[in-house]
Amino acid sequence: MSSTRNATPHVSDVTADGAAWLASAVAYPRDTLALWEERPAAPVVLPCGSAFDVVSAPAIFGRRMLDRLWEDGPGSGPVAEFRGRMLLFAAPGTAQRLPSLLDWEEWGARGRADGRTGAVPPLL
């Protein structure tokens, strides 16, 4: 049995609820949904901060974060990759809480028995 998270993602893998959540960030979500129905791979610029935050991490670290999120089952929202960075779409406010979330998950120096830092790269 193969895991869908290890397969190459395809735009058609986006659920109707996921597309609606993403489109809710724009002024005219029905127009965006109609565009995606007609051209599923069409790129659209979406504003961040009201319907979702986007955390941008170097691709390798972003993949490590995704693996950790998916250890116990589905654990993330939509994900994109752009210019060597992993873009994780998350609930509003996630970007502000990210440093404490990473510490809580023991990615930072606090909470690690050996005292080493978790080598968290610069995140945007």
Side-chain angles (χ1 to χ4, degrees), residues 4 6-7 17 26 42 48 60-61 68 77 85 89 102 107 123:
T4 57
N6 291 329
D17 287 342
V26 298
C48 300
I60 293 173
F61 184 74
R68 172 90 57 87
R85 296 192 67 85
F89 292 68
L102 290 173
W107 287 75
L123 303 172

Side-chain angles (χ1 to χ4, degrees), residues 34-54:
L35 171 67
W36 283 336
E37 265 186 47
E38 185 179 315
R39 294 182 30 220
V44 176
V45 175
L46 302 173
C48 300
S50 57
F52 53 83
D53 286 353
V54 175

Side-chain angles (χ1 to χ4, degrees), residues 2-37:
S2 67
S3 171
T4 57
R5 82 179 172 108
N6 291 329
T8 302
H10 188 269
V11 68
S12 64
D13 295 336
V14 176
T15 65
D17 287 342
W21 178 59
L22 289 170
S24 72
V26 298
Y28 302 101
R30 287 188 291 183
D31 291 349
T32 300
L33 289 171
L35 171 67
W36 283 336
E37 265 186 47

Side-chain angles (χ1 to χ4, degrees), residues 52-115:
F52 53 83
D53 286 353
V54 175
V55 176
S56 173
I60 293 173
F61 184 74
R63 180 58 197 217
R64 287 178 55 207
M65 288 172 55
L66 281 178
D67 288 345
R68 172 90 57 87
L69 289 168
W70 280 83
E71 281 176 358
D72 297 322
S76 72
V79 177
E81 190 173 4
F82 182 70
R83 295 185 178 170
R85 296 192 67 85
M86 184 80 61
L87 308 173
L88 299 106
F89 292 68
T94 299
Q96 287 179 322
R97 296 186 351 253
L98 190 58
S100 61
L101 289 172
L102 290 173
D103 279 344
W104 182 72
E105 286 288 334
E106 298 181 2
W107 287 75
R110 288 187 291 154
R112 290 185 59 148
D114 59 10

